[in-house]
Amino acid sequence: MVRFGIIGTNWITESFIQAASKVEEFSLTAVYSRTSNKALEFADKYGAEHTYTDLNEFVKSPEFDAVYIASPNSLHASQAVLCMQNGKHVICEKPIASNADEVSKMIAAAKENNVVLMEALKTTQLPNFLAIKENLHKIGKVRRYFASYCQYSSRYDKYKEGTVLNAFKPEFSNGSLMDIGIYCVYPAVALFGEPNEVKASSYMLESGVDGEGSLLLSYDEMDAVIMYSKITNSYVPSEIQGENGSMIIDKIHTPESVKIQYKDGTVEDITREQVSESMYYEAKEFISLVSENIQQSELNSHQNSIITARILETARKQVGLIYPADQK
């Protein structure tokens, strides 16, 4: 059994708990929140026995072994390092940190304290992402990766009315690239590694974060074209183009349908059944790593997280998107 504590009592945490509860070895025992009412309410809802409002007390607690962190992005690194220094395994919501320097410090803390650190990026653990990876050779030499994820934010209407919620605040290391674009970037890194060059363009909002943008990643023999947005919707699928055919992916963030269209006109459906919620697979992976004393995930690896962080940071610098976290 892996006993969990959680930092962050929001909808994403609820989704994680509901999915992780289907993993036999999962147990929720502790909740941290800045307010006792919120901690108690959340703990009561999910059957956790222990609540904390002091982070230092929480990390020293003997009541849990691992922590799921879903606080604002700007707090991920400091909270994760503190947890790991106190012997806790950490699964941290994406993006794992504000910048590459923070990710490096987190990886160092994981190694020093012999604990698991994993970025909670659901996409790369899903059955249909594994189908993409395992069937990629069928399309021949890959020449282009195209990924689009544009989702109109439920908080954007409030923004237009003059209320800037956390999702659009630079002090929380937020914005379109970090919240949405990462779902296009991380799979590219998991499949093709680190690009030689990154070119970025974005539309910046007055609050100081990006509303939408595009990336071009250049590799030796291919490129990756990425579109992302929090202020528009897109309905086009993503695609990996090879010399022998193209792989068509319905949704890059949560692929549910994957087909190969070969250049001779034939189509092969390589879709795999997904038997549980999308977050179940990342929870299962993390719990397996903790149970088997394996330091990091093969796909959600330290290397893939740091490369992704470098790409995001390079892109942000090009469009002039600087967070307070970058200036520390």
Side-chain angles (χ1 to χ4, degrees):
M1 189 63 69
V2 178
R3 302 169 307 156
F4 274 75
I6 55 164
I7 298 176
T9 49
N10 51 35
W11 68 270
I12 194 91
T13 314
E14 298 207 23
S15 297
F16 179 81
I17 292 166
Q18 286 158 12
S21 296
K22 296 187 175 173
V23 183
E24 214 174 297
E25 302 89 342
F26 174 83
S27 168
L28 179 65
T29 55
V31 174
Y32 165 79
S33 181
R34 288 170 300 170
T35 63
S36 58
N37 282 354
K38 187 76 176 171
L40 288 163
E41 180 191 331
F42 201 90
D44 186 53
K45 185 174 180 180
Y46 291 104
E49 285 183 43
H50 308 277
T51 60
Y52 300 86
T53 54
D54 182 302
L55 190 63
N56 287 306
E57 275 181 39
F58 172 78
V59 298
K60 289 180 169 63
S61 167
E63 304 299 340
F64 63 96
D65 319 296
V67 61
Y68 170 73
I69 299 177
S71 53
N73 300 339
S74 56
L75 301 176
H76 287 179
S78 59
Q79 290 175 341
V81 168
L82 192 59
C83 288
M84 290 186 285
Q85 285 171 342
N86 284 274
K88 309 298 185 195
H89 305 283
V90 170
I91 177 169
C92 186
E93 255 315 317
K94 60 83 210 157
I96 194 169
S98 300
N99 52 49
D101 185 55
E102 286 187 350
V103 180
S104 296
K105 287 173 180 163
M106 292 164 81
I107 293 168
K111 289 175 178 171
E112 281 165 24
N113 296 283
N114 197 31
V115 291
V116 178
L117 171 67
M118 180 177 134
E119 187 162 5
L121 194 289
K122 64 181 180 181
T123 308
T124 39
Q125 295 300 322
L126 293 172
N128 283 303
F129 183 80
L130 300 180
I132 293 166
K133 188 173 169 60
E134 288 164 23
N135 287 277
L136 200 58
H137 66 278
K138 293 179 179 177
I139 64 171
K141 178 78 75 179
V142 174
R143 294 304 189 187
R144 174 167 291 124
Y145 166 95
F146 165 70
S148 171
Y149 185 20
C150 304
Q151 183 174 291
Y152 189 95
S153 171
S154 57
R155 298 167 181 83
Y156 187 51
D157 287 336
K158 278 270 189 255
Y159 179 88
K160 290 194 284 188
E161 290 164 12
T163 305
V164 182
L165 299 171
N166 288 0
F168 292 105
K169 288 184 177 175
E171 56 265 40
F172 292 119
S173 303
N174 275 334
S176 183
L177 178 61
M178 298 291 268
D179 293 345
I180 296 281
I182 189 170
Y183 282 111
C184 300
V185 175
Y186 205 109
V189 171
L191 292 171
F192 307 112
E194 187 158 18
N196 301 323
E197 190 182 5
V198 177
K199 288 180 183 168
S201 67
S202 294
Y203 170 70
M204 299 294 290
L205 300 171
E206 287 177 6
S207 69
V209 302
D210 56 327
E212 58 86 37
S214 306
L215 292 179
L216 179 63
L217 312 181
S218 300
Y219 291 85
D220 285 345
E221 298 183 304
M222 60 166 283
D223 61 22
V225 181
I226 288 167
M227 305 190 312
Y228 55 90
S229 176
K230 290 186 80 167
I231 58 175
T232 58
N233 284 320
S234 175
Y235 307 95
V236 300
S238 295
E239 186 178 49
I240 304 174
Q241 300 171 8
E243 292 186 355
N244 297 336
S246 291
M247 201 175 269
I248 298 153
I249 304 151
D250 64 338
K251 300 189 298 285
I252 193 64
H253 55 95
T254 318
E256 290 172 357
S257 167
V258 188
K259 292 177 181 173
I260 298 174
Q261 179 132 10
Y262 294 100
K263 67 179 184 202
D264 67 1
T266 57
V267 176
E268 182 185 2
D269 190 339
I270 58 167
T271 304
R272 292 182 186 173
E273 186 185 5
Q274 186 177 305
V275 294
S276 199
E277 301 101 317
S278 55
M279 292 180 84
Y280 163 83
Y281 298 93
E282 66 182 55
K284 191 174 190 307
E285 169 78 353
F286 177 71
I287 288 167
S288 296
L289 296 171
V290 173
S291 302
E292 294 166 27
N293 196 27
I294 298 168
Q295 286 272 278
Q296 58 178 303
S297 169
E298 190 179 329
L299 277 172
N300 291 31
S301 63
H302 296 168
Q303 180 76 351
N304 286 348
S305 289
I306 192 94
I307 292 171
T308 300
R310 282 201 288 261
I311 293 169
L312 301 181
E313 190 173 357
T314 300
R316 287 195 298 105
K317 282 178 180 168
Q318 287 180 15
V319 301
L321 174 50
I322 308 295
Y323 297 134
D326 299 326
Q327 296 164 324
K328 286 178 182 173

